[in-house]
Amino acid sequence: MKGPRPLTIVIKLGTSSICDEKTHEPLLSNLSLLVETSCRLRREGHRVILVSSGAIGIGMRRLDIEKRPKHLAVVQAIAAVGQCRLIALWDELFKQLRQPVAQILLTRNDIADRTQYLNAVNTLSELLNMGIIPIVNENDTLSVNEIKFGDNDTLSAITAGMVNADYLFLMTDVDCLYTNNPRTHPDAKPIEVVDDISSLDVDVSTAGSSLGTGGMSTKLTAARLATSAGVTTIITRSSTPSNIFHIVRYIQSLKTESATNTRPGTPDTSINPPLTVSASAPVTPLRSTTPAPLAITTPPPLHTRFLPKPRALRDRYFWILHGLAPHGTIYIDEGAHRALTRSDKAGLLPVGVVDVSGHFAQQDAVSVVVVKRRAGEEGGYEVLGKEVGRALVNYSSAEIARIKGERSGKIQELLGYADSEYVAFRDNLAFFEVAAGAEKEDAHAV
């Protein structure tokens, strides 16, 4: 796998992969295999980050609590106990292979401020440069619904975007994504490569374990988020962590083969050929630090690979979309939306704003929704689809309500002052990728 630069690999492990759902005992065999795999990747020169759940499950085991309590304060107290035990367990396992680790605990509040977000990025980057494996988890002892990421699948995707990772591995209890639930539908087919997540037609109704918060739907959300940042995202079985090593080798060999065979000016069609479903490749012993070259015809372990978007989001746009929680909504017309998405210079002018909802202050994050003005009816409009982006606004909700639909020259007259001619600067506006036709399908009148 040695190449011109080291790869950055984020591995997310859920609670059900760390401790037993019923006894809450740590699954030492799983954890030990993951530690060995991580160290193998490190010996190849790659940079590894673990996103580890399990604080509450480990805490329940430590305190001999059988069922997860419902009271938030009790759960947070259990998490405080479990987090100590969890990081101690990781440290002890990695210590056997002389690999230093570091603990990073985050909440959404920690990255909502741009300076704190950049500090977190710099800390992670420096740890990786020092050869340390950061172990990231949500700070369950402090998080409440308003500041939670929602689940560690989302946290792992945000972490991967923060460090511009090459790969995000979402470890789960199945080999890959299937067309249906393989436990109840034996004829379910594996989905090997996904280019467009929005076009998937799969059953994601299976919920997470009694200890965890995720399921397959949260993994698709995380994959959508990570691929928008240019990160190849992979779902594979957590009980065989060595798959990570073999999958990375396989994909890298595909890219090497493609680079060798593609002539200048010829479209490259071999980077992502269909994958052949097969059993896992043989495991290379840990002591081997230079694996034998992997032939391009050798099938990889079963997995689902989500291909990254060709145009990755810039860091600041990624932060606006996924690091901030919106406090309200602004509704803009189709003309404003076209101008904003076709230019990196034009900001959002008041004349393009049709309506506003919620209560927010200056420099708060808000959702952006596109509407179609209704001809001949003042103030009437139809909402075209769902949220299309996020913005950091220059005015509060009450101020925007007063200046919406007006020319910038009237801001001074209407408010008594004018901080800016724009409701939001272009650098403070970021847009999601919307599937073609989605707006028409979801349109409704207001």
Side-chain angles (χ1 to χ4, degrees), residues 361-379:
Q362 185 182 33
Q363 292 305 309
D364 274 350
V366 299
S367 297
V368 179
V369 174
V370 179
V371 303
K372 181 179 182 180
R373 295 182 188 269
R374 197 177 297 157
E377 183 180 340
E378 185 176 354

Side-chain angles (χ1 to χ4, degrees), residues 11 40 162 293 350 364 399:
I11 303 170
R40 288 175 66 185
M162 290 170 68
D364 274 350
E399 292 167 334

Side-chain angles (χ1 to χ4, degrees), residues 369-432:
V369 174
V370 179
V371 303
K372 181 179 182 180
R373 295 182 188 269
R374 197 177 297 157
E377 183 180 340
E378 185 176 354
Y381 59 86
E382 293 180 359
V383 175
L384 301 178
K386 302 177 182 179
E387 179 187 29
V388 297
R390 301 271 171 88
L392 291 175
V393 291
N394 295 327
Y395 295 97
S396 69
S397 53
E399 292 167 334
I400 295 174
R402 294 175 65 183
I403 65 176
K404 66 182 182 182
E406 301 288 351
R407 299 289 180 183
S408 298
K410 294 193 67 175
I411 295 177
Q412 177 77 36
E413 176 186 340
L414 293 169
L415 300 182
Y417 68 93
D419 280 347
S420 170
E421 64 177 313
Y422 297 110
V423 170
F425 295 120
R426 185 62 187 88
D427 279 350
N428 287 338
L429 280 154
F431 292 94
F432 299 108

Side-chain angles (χ1 to χ4, degrees), residues 231-249:
V231 181
T232 298
T233 305
I234 294 163
I235 291 175
T236 191
R237 184 177 289 275
S238 61
S239 59
T240 50
S242 59
N243 285 358
I244 298 171
F245 194 80
H246 298 298
I247 291 168
V248 171
R249 278 206 300 170

Side-chain angles (χ1 to χ4, degrees), residues 16 21 82 105 145 172 238 271 297 334 352 362 400 402 437:
S16 60
E21 186 174 351
L105 297 178
N145 287 337
T172 185
S238 61
I271 291 181
T297 54
E334 296 170 287
Q362 185 182 33
I400 295 174
R402 294 175 65 183

Side-chain angles (χ1 to χ4, degrees), residues 6-26:
L7 301 172
T8 300
I9 301 168
V10 178
I11 303 170
K12 184 268 174 180
L13 211 61
T15 300
S16 60
S17 302
I18 291 175
C19 57
D20 186 89
E21 186 174 351
K22 294 181 179 179
T23 66
H24 307 148
E25 293 179 348

Side-chain angles (χ1 to χ4, degrees), residues 114-151:
R114 180 65 177 169
T115 301
Q116 288 181 243
Y117 174 86
L118 293 175
N119 284 343
V121 170
N122 291 337
T123 299
L124 286 167
S125 297
E126 191 57 37
L127 287 169
L128 294 173
N129 291 338
M130 295 169 67
I132 297 168
I133 294 180
I135 300 178
V136 181
N137 195 2
E138 183 158 15
N139 193 345
D140 292 320
T141 63
L142 298 178
S143 293
V144 292
N145 287 337
E146 289 79 7
I147 61 174
K148 285 178 70 68
F149 290 99
D151 56 81

